[in-house]
Amino acid sequence: MPTLEDVASEADVSASTVSRVFNNPDKVHPSTRDRVKKAADTLGYQPSRVARRLRLKDGKASLIGLVIPDIQNPFFANVARGVEDVAQDNEYGLILSNSDEDPDKQKLAVNTLKTEDVDGVIVPPISRDDPNVKRLLESDIAVVCVDRRMENVRVDTILSDSQKGAYRAVTHLLELGHRRIGFIGGVPRISTSADRREGYEQALQDQGVPIDSTLVREGDSRRERGRYLTDALLDLDRPPTALFTGNNLTTLGALSALSARDMSVPEEISLVGYDDVPWAMALNPPPTVIGQPAYEMGSRAAELLLQRLDAPNRSPTTVTLQPELITRKSCGPPPSKR
């Protein structure tokens, strides 16, 4: 690997000048800065973050961590991209880990990030009383919660209004005439799952429709579980005429279950899913969904983290973004009203 001295030789400057270019660029003449950076690019030189941290008074590593449940989930993939783009624009590196909603895996990821001396961590809490997030807050590491909220904890948070999104989804089905609407939610301990169930129930109550607990199923937000819970709802003596699924992977599971039974959507059953996916229009029929600004949530979380690093003592901020109902072709009146 090329060294600082190699760059100095290539640029015909002293090693101390090269060091200033990467650590205190304002103190170096622009033409010299350009020459050093060109030499570094030519040689493929990368300054050591650890060494830089030891030298600088602010002690920053210019490194942040992101712990998400599952990068294979398109929603979290978009969140991660938003975080990464802002981090790179501000010359911060990113370390990404998956927790699989497992407290032990999350703890290992958090401990690894602490060992790497990251400046801050962005994380969707895996419960409303997430002990690993609390441990981060008790340390000197800046934290931003994204997508999910903690309860009774002062921490910067970026959210989408899950309760409102669920309310709009179920209201859409009610307006089409559905009264038996099945709900397949995620892990109850997660705030988004609880908020979406609350939105589902509130929409029913506002339309005078009794809440039937047999139509409510909660799982782990994975495709396989979505399929299993859809089958359970369809096997009821009085199955639902419509489904509201709590996230994109659950929606795929539900569609797989319906396809296996040769059930026609929306002729035999309607469906609204939570979260949009880039390949939605390739499905037959394209599903009506509640779309979330996932990329913006990630980028705003990264911006909020950088603001926290600049002002460690400011009051915590919560930003709530708005979801939208995207109507496509997976919804229609219940079969009895056709």
Side-chain angles (χ1 to χ4, degrees):
M1 295 292 291
T3 65
L4 184 144
E5 287 74 17
D6 293 332
V7 176
S9 177
E10 177 75 15
D12 194 22
V13 297
S14 67
S16 60
T17 297
V18 175
S19 179
R20 280 195 297 274
V21 167
F22 288 105
N23 296 315
N24 296 289
D26 292 342
K27 296 183 178 181
V28 182
H29 191 276
S31 62
T32 303
R33 284 204 308 265
D34 293 341
R35 193 162 75 250
V36 169
K37 288 183 178 181
K38 182 178 180 180
D41 289 341
T42 299
L43 297 174
Y45 171 76
Q46 291 293 329
S48 167
R49 290 185 182 276
V50 174
R52 180 179 184 274
R53 185 166 197 160
L54 291 172
R55 285 194 298 268
L56 294 182
K57 293 181 179 179
D58 62 10
K60 289 184 178 180
S62 295
L63 191 64
I64 61 178
L66 173 63
V67 183
I68 57 176
D70 184 4
I71 193 62
Q72 292 182 314
N73 183 321
F75 170 78
F76 287 112
N78 284 330
V79 169
R81 188 54 190 258
V83 171
E84 184 178 40
D85 284 352
V86 170
Q88 289 184 342
D89 286 346
N90 289 273
E91 298 185 347
Y92 274 75
L94 179 69
I95 298 177
L96 171 67
S97 297
N98 292 276
S99 71
D100 293 323
E101 307 285 13
D102 183 325
D104 291 334
K105 287 186 178 181
Q106 185 200 45
K107 181 178 181 180
L108 177 61
V110 165
N111 287 341
T112 300
L113 293 175
K114 293 171 74 173
T115 300
E116 292 293 331
D117 283 336
V118 297
D119 297 305
V121 175
I122 297 171
V123 56
I126 62 174
S127 72
R128 284 166 282 178
D129 188 39
D130 192 323
N132 291 317
V133 175
K134 287 184 174 180
R135 292 189 189 99
L136 279 172
L137 290 167
E138 291 168 357
S139 69
D140 293 329
I141 299 175
V143 178
V144 172
C145 292
V146 64
D147 180 51
R148 305 167 181 178
R149 56 184 166 78
M150 300 276 287
E151 289 186 352
N152 303 316
V153 175
R154 290 172 55 80
V155 58
D156 291 320
T157 306
I158 301 289
L159 302 170
S160 175
D161 195 333
S162 286
Q163 183 179 349
K164 181 180 289 186
Y167 186 93
R168 294 188 67 185
V170 178
T171 298
H172 178 65
L173 292 169
L174 290 167
E175 289 173 345
L176 290 170
H178 294 278
R179 292 299 179 266
R180 290 189 62 74
I181 302 171
F183 171 59
I184 302 177
V187 181
R189 71 172 185 268
I190 296 171
S191 67
T192 50
S193 299
D195 291 344
R196 288 168 196 174
R197 178 168 180 172
E198 187 173 342
Y200 162 84
E201 294 178 346
Q202 188 63 54
L204 294 176
Q205 290 174 348
D206 287 353
Q207 294 292 327
V209 177
I211 296 171
D212 184 345
S213 61
T214 65
L215 294 176
V216 176
R217 304 299 164 101
E218 293 173 309
D220 60 7
S221 300
R222 294 182 181 273
R223 178 176 178 174
E224 296 78 10
R225 190 65 174 170
R227 179 169 181 164
Y228 172 81
L229 294 177
T230 299
D231 281 330
L233 288 172
L234 297 176
D235 287 337
L236 292 172
D237 291 337
R238 292 184 60 219
T241 62
L243 295 174
F244 170 47
T245 52
N247 85 333
N248 49 27
L249 298 183
T250 300
T251 302
L252 284 178
L255 290 171
S256 296
L258 297 174
S259 177
R261 293 174 181 243
D262 292 323
M263 291 188 69
S264 178
V265 179
E267 287 76 16
E268 294 180 84
I269 190 167
S270 293
L271 180 143
V272 179
Y274 213 102
D275 295 330
D276 201 6
V277 290
W279 26 260
M281 297 306 294
L283 299 175
N284 186 22
T288 292
V289 298
I290 297 297
Q292 296 192 92
Y295 179 90
E296 184 182 358
M297 292 171 71
S299 61
R300 295 283 292 273
E303 290 167 356
L304 199 56
L305 183 66
L306 296 179
Q307 292 171 20
R308 171 62 58 188
L309 293 174
D310 287 339
N313 298 320
R314 66 168 176 76
S315 298
T317 299
T318 295
V319 177
T320 303
L321 305 178
Q322 296 304 311
E324 62 173 329
L325 175 67
I326 303 172
T327 55
R328 295 193 179 113
K329 297 182 178 181
S330 63
C331 295
S336 62
K337 295 191 177 184
R338 294 185 190 279

